[in-house]
């Protein structure tokens, strides 16, 4: 290993997320960090296989597990720069026209992958382990509107637990399931807080709206921020209307703010007709979250308008 490689080896180079195979745009830093082998790595490869091709393949898998969290199931698709660096590490001489031709036997492919997996002490991520990841993701209260965060959290968790990452398709399915469960859990927690009287008021409020919008669509109307005494009056009037619902009695303190905002964002863009098609639990949860968010926004607007009027006077 070169001196630059030794220095880099002592520093962490972030691994990438959501990669099914080794990328062709792998950087020099990534190559040095994940595919530089120490004496233990080299001894493992030399003791397990004798054929030159098989040794190269084990080296590729070794770096792939560390870099993308998965094996390179088809080593033939490995970028040439990775193959060249692996052969240099293992002391294998190849010419510039070298092409990696690997065995077509799937059993051999899996055996080589299993050898490297066991050497790295990684555990296969079986179906029985899916609930472990799901429970973790649900408990993390991640932002339901930002799926990349969920994928990142899932891969980080599996790496810490020494699991081999499943395919991107399987991981995405687990993430979507966990996200759905997380949203459902918060939804029913809010629904249980809403009293029968409040449900009747919400239903009445919904029935008064037309089919194309709801009264809280005004929140996205930027003209409301223009200062005038008449608009302050309208804002205060709407705050009083919301407070007749007594939503302040609902305690959201133990609920993650990102979930509340996610429901509120949905409500801002849903028509009364669409809301009425939802189940009572989802409908009332979205309405409550939206109206509570709206109340806070309207209070901020009223204070801002008042400050601007006073500033104009002086």
């Amino acid at each position: 290993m070169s001196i630059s490689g030794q220095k880099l080896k002592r520093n962490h180079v972030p691994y990438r997320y959501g990669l099914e195979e080794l990328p062709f745009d792998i950087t020099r830093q990534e190559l040095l960090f994940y595919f530089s082998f120490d004496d233990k790595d080299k001894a493992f490869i030399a003791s397990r296989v004798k054929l030159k091709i098989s040794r190269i393949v084990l080296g590729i898998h070794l770096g792939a597990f560390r870099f993308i969290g998965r094996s390179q199931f088809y080593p033939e698709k490995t970028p040439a720069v990775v193959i060249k660096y692996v052969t240099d590490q293992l002391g294998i001489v190849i010419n510039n026209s070298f092409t990696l031709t690997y065995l077509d036997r799937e059993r051999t492919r899996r055996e080589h992958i299993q050898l490297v997996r066991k050497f790295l002490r990684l555990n296969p991520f079986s179906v029985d382990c899916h609930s472990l990841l799901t429970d973790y993701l649900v408990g993390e209260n991640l932002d339901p509107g930002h799926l990349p965060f969920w994928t990142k959290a899932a891969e980080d968790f599996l790496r810490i637990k020494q699991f081999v990452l499943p395919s991107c398709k399987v991981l995405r399915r687990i993430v979507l399931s966990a996200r759905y469960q997380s949203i459902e859990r918060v939804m029913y927690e809010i629904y249980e807080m809403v009293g029968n009287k409040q449900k009747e008021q919400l239903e009445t409020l919904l029935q008064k709206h037309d089919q194309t919008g709801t009264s809280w669509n005004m929140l996205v109307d930027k003209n409301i921020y223009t200062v005038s005494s008449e608009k302050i009056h309208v804002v205060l009037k709407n705050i009083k209307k919301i407070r007749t619902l007594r939503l302040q009695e609902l305690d959201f303190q133990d609920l993650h703010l990102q979930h509340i905002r996610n429901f509120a964002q949905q409500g801002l863009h849903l028509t009364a007709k669409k809301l009425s098609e939802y189940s009572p639990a989802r409908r009332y949860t979205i309405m409550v979250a939206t109206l509570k968010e709206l109340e806070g926004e309207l209070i901020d607007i009223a204070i801002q308008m008042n400050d601007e009027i006073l500033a104009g006077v002086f």
Side-chain angles (χ1 to χ4, degrees):
M1 188 190 307
S2 65
I3 295 177
S4 60
Q6 291 174 351
K7 288 182 178 179
L8 189 62
K9 194 71 172 174
R10 288 195 289 268
N11 300 316
H12 178 66
V13 175
Y15 47 75
R16 298 201 201 178
Y17 298 93
L19 292 179
E20 202 78 70
E21 297 178 335
L22 292 172
F24 280 86
D25 63 344
I26 186 171
T27 67
R28 180 66 177 171
Q29 288 76 17
E30 291 168 339
L31 189 64
L32 293 174
F33 186 80
Y34 291 104
F35 291 89
S36 293
F37 307 138
D38 57 23
D39 293 339
K40 184 179 178 181
D41 297 334
K42 295 175 182 178
F44 155 72
I45 293 173
S47 65
R48 292 297 186 275
V49 292
K50 299 301 180 184
L51 293 177
K52 178 174 70 174
I53 294 296
S54 297
R55 288 165 60 198
I56 296 174
V57 167
L58 289 193
I60 291 172
H61 287 317
L62 196 58
F65 272 123
R66 290 168 173 166
F67 182 31
I68 63 175
R70 304 172 172 91
S71 64
Q72 179 79 344
F73 191 79
Y74 295 102
E76 307 93 318
K77 297 182 180 180
T78 303
V81 65
V82 176
I83 296 175
K84 179 66 170 64
Y85 190 74
V86 167
T87 56
D88 288 345
Q89 287 286 295
L90 299 178
I92 299 173
V93 179
I94 60 173
N95 55 43
N96 294 331
S97 61
F98 175 80
T99 301
L100 182 62
T101 304
Y102 192 46
L103 296 172
D104 292 330
R105 293 177 55 198
E106 186 169 326
R107 179 179 176 182
T108 304
R109 292 177 182 271
R110 296 191 180 279
E111 286 176 351
H112 285 168
I113 292 172
Q114 189 175 28
L115 282 174
V116 179
R117 178 182 65 76
K118 288 184 176 180
F119 171 71
L120 294 174
R121 297 182 179 179
L122 298 175
N123 303 306
F125 188 64
S126 62
V127 176
D128 296 337
C129 301
H130 287 193
S131 59
L132 182 67
L133 176 58
T134 300
D135 292 344
Y136 167 76
L137 292 174
V138 171
E140 283 296 286
N141 286 317
L142 301 168
D143 180 358
H146 202 305
L147 276 177
F149 284 172
W150 289 72
T151 301
K152 181 178 183 298
E155 290 199 13
D156 285 341
F157 175 78
L158 293 177
R159 283 178 179 267
I160 291 172
K161 294 294 184 180
Q162 292 290 96
F163 280 113
V164 174
L165 298 186
S167 68
C168 293
K169 184 177 180 179
V170 170
L171 191 63
R172 179 174 176 80
R173 187 163 61 243
I174 297 172
V175 163
L176 290 175
S177 174
R179 175 180 176 271
Y180 174 79
Q181 292 180 43
S182 179
I183 292 174
E184 291 286 297
R185 185 192 66 178
V186 175
M187 182 182 74
Y188 281 105
E189 286 182 13
I190 295 176
Y191 181 64
E192 290 294 323
M193 298 179 192
V194 183
N196 292 330
K197 180 65 175 177
Q198 290 170 316
K199 292 174 183 176
E200 292 176 5
Q201 290 176 299
L202 290 171
E203 203 63 42
T204 302
L205 179 64
L206 194 61
Q207 291 172 2
K208 290 181 179 178
H209 297 154
D210 58 35
Q211 298 296 303
T212 58
T214 54
S215 62
W216 50 77
N217 288 136
M218 57 181 280
L219 183 60
V220 296
D221 182 7
K222 298 303 180 183
N223 290 327
I224 197 171
Y225 291 96
T226 305
V227 179
S228 72
S229 57
E230 293 79 10
K231 287 189 176 181
I232 288 183
H233 176 72
V234 172
V235 169
L236 294 176
K237 184 179 178 181
N238 281 313
I239 291 174
K240 290 179 180 179
K241 283 183 180 179
I242 295 174
R243 288 190 170 176
T244 60
L245 298 170
R246 299 167 63 183
L247 300 181
Q248 64 272 18
E249 297 177 0
L250 307 182
D251 184 11
F252 287 179
Q253 188 170 353
D254 294 333
L255 301 179
H256 201 276
L257 182 60
Q258 296 291 357
H259 281 78
I260 307 302
R261 286 181 173 170
N262 181 259
F263 285 121
Q265 286 298 315
Q266 292 180 51
L268 289 174
H269 302 287
L270 289 172
T271 63
K273 182 177 184 298
K274 189 64 179 179
L275 273 170
S276 63
E277 294 174 355
Y278 287 168
S279 67
R282 186 171 298 276
R283 179 165 67 248
Y284 297 143
T285 296
I286 290 176
M287 291 182 71
V288 164
T290 305
L291 290 168
K292 280 181 73 71
E293 181 84 2
L294 177 60
E295 181 182 4
E297 290 282 350
L298 291 177
I299 290 173
D300 289 341
I301 291 171
I303 293 173
Q304 177 186 340
M305 286 183 172
N306 185 62
D307 289 344
E308 291 185 16
I309 290 175
L310 290 175
V313 170
F314 293 102

